[in-house]
Amino acid sequence: MVRRARISVCLPLLAVLCACRGGETTPTPAGASIVLVTIDTLRADRLPAYGYPAGATPAIDRLAADGTLFEHAFSPVPLTLPAHSTILTGLLPPTHGVRDNLGYRLEAGRSIVPRLEAAGYRTAAAVSSVVLRRETGLAAGFDLYDDDVATGAGLTAAEEQRSGPETLDAVESWLPADAGTPFFLFLHLYEPHAPYTPPAAFAGGDPYDGEISAADAVVGRLLRLLDERGLYDGTAIVLLSDHGEGLGDHGEQEHGILLHHEDLHVPLILKLPGEPGRGGRVDVPVHLMDVAPTLLELAGLPVSEGLPGSSLLHPPPAGRSLYAETYHPSLRYGWSELLSVVEWPYHLIEGPRPELYDLAEDPGETRDLTAADGEVRTRLLASLRPLRADPAPPFTETEEVRQRLASLGYLDVTRGVGGDRRLNPKDQLPTLHRFRTALDALRAGRPADAVRTLQALVEESPRSLEAWQFLGEAYRRQGKWSEAYGAFSEALNLSRGAPELLEAVAQCAVRLGRGDEAIDLLRLAVNASPDSLPYRFGLVQALLGADRIDEAATVAEGSVERSARRDPDALFQLAVVRIRQGDGDAARELLRRTVEIAPDHEAALYQLALVYAAEGDHEDAETLLERLLVLDPADHNARQTLEAMRRRQSTG
């Protein structure tokens, strides 16, 4: 039997949203300031506002009390970058083209933020994960886009993050002191993304709940800032999550592989200026594609034609098909992709083994109705079919990159893009758990154990980019550079030119005495991601190692310019190049600037001390070396240099 969608909106909210004139929506003051807060990886059913009996989220509870809570909000994809691309464009992944966290970039002109900027809004963003770094294209239209997240801080990109308090620090001074020019602030918090390590103040219970409470504390601080500056009442605040988390439901601990309710059901709260809709709850399903039209309407701008979503300032339309996908299993592991569609209350997951659930009766998706309700499955498959669009290759390689990689023997162009559609990701979860075990061994300093597991995995799944990449990392940590080179090269082939794998292979090539090859690979990485300073730094080092000093200078100068002369590592590297060029005056000024910006930059302190000593300025040289030894008492070079200077002076 085909059931009708059950739709209800609480009456107090309808009374606020629906005006008396012809059923139109009550207008919201155009040009309101807007704050968008995204809390990464937050399941809706783990919030007290959504009925969770445990946990403590007073700030989110306040927003829910002051605004409207959408009970059934869905993400288009359980991955951070593609979901945020939908949030900021209003487009679904097949249209905006960002299909995974790595290898894709949002095209210029897709985001609505430049429209806000053109309308007179001051715009700022601060993000907590390297996954949302500016190179992804999300920074378009922001006057300030702070993505100062340390790279190389973890084994995986998910571990390269900063705390919520640090992220809010980055934009606290940017917030206006009082109401005036409208502003748009986008604040991204990475708690409660794995690994779950809540601060001590929120530890002791369930670690996922503890991280939620830690994120809520940052939201609370933001709300207090708005209160103190008289901004809260007149500002529209949208709080949501990009996707959920498995937490072991249906066998998935984290996210990205499956498309169950726990992966896609996200919190969504809208607090309007003047607080209309206070305490309202909307039961009609909505989608993250609805956020961008809402922001445009709040700004008094026309909603772009062609956007599939609807502004949340109006009663949501019923009976929509709400799309979701994950190509992560295909692109990273060689398995099948999964697609899904919600037509309330039904949820169809399409893959090698389709699944159908009734979310109203079975929100935990424990009873598959595929066999029992073929009519519903047929109808939902028909609504899903027009939305299917396989992704472009990640790291879309230009003809130049294809030819160069092929000439170097890396790119096997006979390999297609995507996974084996016979392999259901749900059936592959035991393999994923073994992969996670290998990563745990790497984190624990047991690379040999990781190698044994990963070797078995690549034999079983030779198209698993992830397994080859971390097999290379395990070999690298053992100092087995030839084996690491081979494994990273396989991963590079599968990725079709991922910059981080170009860099990884290049590092191995340097160790194996293949300096020219390393330079070629690093140039490709820089061309693919020109704003990435780490790739540029690696290229400069390789060029210096080959005594191609003038070429190194050109790249290092570009790094300084791209960082607007503010990155201490870029300044330091250019100083090293100037030393190699024999330009001591330029090196000295660059080193001084480095130390001004980063007083604890140990390498710059040491080099500047040597420069002062060479100029006969022993007092300043000793001061710098003493400061360096306070920072690192075990720095033998600094200690020996200081002692040698003092001996020479005492015998001089």
Side-chain angles (χ1 to χ4, degrees):
M1 174 184 293
V2 178
R3 297 178 47 190
R4 291 184 178 274
R6 297 181 301 176
I7 302 160
S8 64
V9 182
C10 83
L11 293 178
L13 178 60
L14 275 178
V16 172
L17 287 181
C18 295
C20 298
R21 296 194 306 271
E24 296 179 355
T25 302
T26 301
T28 300
S33 290
I34 305 167
V35 172
L36 171 65
V37 180
T38 66
I39 303 178
D40 213 291
T41 322
L42 175 55
R43 280 175 62 150
D45 63 1
R46 294 300 281 260
L47 288 177
Y50 282 81
Y52 185 53
T57 56
I60 296 174
D61 294 346
R62 174 189 176 185
L63 281 177
D66 288 347
T68 300
L69 180 147
F70 294 84
E71 294 183 344
H72 304 295
F74 291 91
S75 169
V77 55
L79 294 163
T80 297
L81 177 58
H84 279 87
S85 297
T86 290
I87 292 166
L88 292 177
T89 66
L91 301 172
L92 293 171
T95 304
H96 64 58
V98 180
R99 314 302 283 275
D100 200 3
N101 280 340
L102 297 174
Y104 294 92
R105 176 184 173 86
L106 186 65
E107 292 181 9
R110 295 287 197 181
S111 172
I112 66 165
V113 179
R115 293 186 61 190
L116 298 177
E117 184 185 37
Y121 275 74
R122 297 176 62 241
T123 57
V127 299
S128 297
S129 169
V130 71
V131 174
L132 298 183
R133 64 200 180 281
R134 66 178 57 250
E135 292 97 316
T136 62
L138 291 186
F142 284 103
D143 303 322
L144 168 67
Y145 193 90
D146 192 291
D147 61 348
D148 189 14
V149 181
T151 57
L155 186 59
T156 65
E159 295 168 334
E160 295 179 346
Q161 57 178 289
R162 62 177 169 184
S163 71
E166 292 176 298
T167 304
L168 182 53
D169 287 346
V171 289
E172 179 175 349
S173 62
W174 177 90
L175 273 172
D178 50 43
T181 303
F183 65 87
F184 172 59
L185 171 64
F186 164 42
L187 180 69
H188 166 254
L189 306 177
Y190 213 45
E191 300 94 347
H193 197 288
Y196 317 128
T197 54
F202 304 102
D206 181 284
Y208 181 73
D209 289 346
E211 289 232 330
I212 293 172
S213 294
D216 183 82
V218 180
V219 175
R221 181 179 144 207
L222 172 62
L223 300 186
R224 288 192 297 274
L225 287 171
L226 295 174
D227 281 331
E228 292 165 0
R229 301 180 189 191
L231 301 172
Y232 180 81
D233 289 341
T235 297
I237 302 174
V238 184
L239 182 139
L240 55 84
S241 180
D242 53 350
H243 56 76
E245 186 77 318
L247 299 181
D249 295 351
H250 298 96
E252 183 181 22
Q253 184 58 42
E254 296 179 22
H255 58 272
I257 302 297
L258 303 183
L259 290 179
H260 280 288
H261 195 220
E262 61 269 13
D263 302 298
L264 302 178
H265 181 209
V266 295
L268 176 55
I269 298 170
L270 171 61
K271 198 280 296 183
L272 294 174
E275 301 179 7
R278 181 180 175 87
R281 301 180 77 91
V282 175
D283 198 22
V284 180
V286 296
H287 194 276
L288 292 185
M289 66 182 175
D290 299 329
V291 174
T294 306
L295 301 181
L296 289 171
E297 187 167 359
L298 285 167
L301 298 173
V303 176
S304 307
E305 291 186 9
L307 291 186
S310 300
S311 170
L312 298 171
L313 301 181
H314 305 266
R320 289 188 296 171
S321 297
L322 305 180
Y323 172 82
E325 68 174 36
T326 179
Y327 279 85
H328 186 70
S330 168
L331 295 168
R332 304 298 292 186
Y333 296 97
W335 308 330
S336 177
E337 74 280 1
L338 295 176
L339 308 179
S340 89
V341 62
V342 171
E343 288 186 6
W344 192 262
Y346 293 108
H347 180 205
L348 174 73
I349 302 172
E350 174 62 9
R353 187 173 60 252
E355 303 171 59
L356 176 66
Y357 300 98
D358 183 334
L359 295 177
E361 300 294 337
D362 180 25
E365 296 185 324
T366 61
R367 298 185 298 277
D368 185 355
L369 304 177
T370 304
D373 212 332
E375 182 182 352
V376 172
R377 180 195 167 202
T378 299
R379 175 167 57 81
L380 267 61
L381 276 174
S383 67
L384 184 59
R385 194 171 296 117
L387 297 172
R388 175 185 281 277
D390 288 343
F395 309 102
T396 303
E397 69 273 23
T398 63
E399 185 60 32
E400 175 192 0
V401 171
R402 278 193 291 272
Q403 291 179 1
R404 191 61 188 142
L405 285 176
S407 71
L408 293 170
Y410 291 108
L411 185 61
D412 181 355
V413 295
T414 64
R415 298 186 182 189
V417 176
D420 186 340
R421 284 179 170 160
R422 297 169 298 178
L423 297 178
N424 191 337
K426 183 173 285 189
D427 296 336
Q428 303 302 315
L429 289 176
T431 299
L432 183 65
H433 296 328
R434 290 166 59 204
F435 176 72
R436 300 294 185 194
T437 299
L439 295 193
D440 289 341
L442 275 177
R443 292 187 185 98
R446 304 194 315 274
D449 292 342
V451 164
R452 283 190 289 271
T453 301
L454 291 165
Q455 280 179 327
L457 289 176
V458 297
E459 290 173 6
E460 297 168 17
S461 303
R463 292 185 59 79
S464 176
L465 188 161
E466 296 280 88
W468 281 113
Q469 179 174 354
F470 286 101
L471 179 59
E473 179 62 27
Y475 281 132
R476 177 161 60 182
R477 295 192 181 195
Q478 291 179 298
K480 296 182 177 180
W481 296 103
S482 180
E483 292 87 345
Y485 178 91
F488 281 135
S489 295
E490 285 290 338
L492 179 60
N493 279 333
L494 289 167
S495 77
R496 303 179 72 84
E500 69 265 27
L501 289 166
L502 289 164
E503 180 191 39
V505 177
Q507 289 178 1
C508 297
V510 168
R511 294 283 186 157
L512 296 172
R514 303 173 182 173
D516 289 342
E517 180 181 321
I519 289 169
D520 284 342
L521 292 170
L522 287 165
R523 282 198 187 280
L524 290 174
V526 169
N527 290 341
S529 189
D531 291 327
S532 174
L533 292 179
Y535 300 153
R536 302 179 73 88
F537 295 162
L539 178 56
V540 170
Q541 290 300 316
L543 289 167
L544 289 176
D547 286 329
R548 294 160 64 172
I549 299 172
D550 290 343
E551 292 177 63
T554 299
V555 179
E557 289 163 0
S559 299
V560 169
E561 292 306 313
R562 284 184 176 273
S563 72
R565 307 189 66 82
R566 291 196 300 264
D567 187 274
D569 290 327
L571 292 165
F572 172 72
Q573 190 178 65
L574 182 56
V576 171
V577 173
R578 295 298 187 230
I579 290 171
R580 291 285 297 272
Q581 290 179 313
D583 190 346
D585 291 340
R588 181 178 60 251
E589 292 308 310
L590 286 163
L591 289 169
R592 285 176 175 166
R593 176 64 176 150
T594 303
V595 173
E596 286 175 6
I597 296 174
D600 296 345
H601 197 295
E602 296 179 12
L605 287 169
Y606 184 69
Q607 288 294 333
L608 186 56
L610 294 182
V611 168
Y612 284 153
E615 295 174 344
D617 186 351
H618 298 292
E619 182 178 350
D620 283 341
E622 288 187 20
T623 298
L624 291 177
L625 292 169
E626 288 167 353
R627 189 201 304 180
L628 187 53
L629 287 170
V630 170
L631 294 171
D632 183 8
D635 189 329
H636 299 298
N637 286 335
R639 189 171 301 280
Q640 290 174 357
T641 301
L642 180 60
E643 291 173 352
M645 287 178 59
R646 287 173 173 168
R647 281 197 301 271
R648 283 195 297 271
Q649 291 182 70
S650 65
T651 59

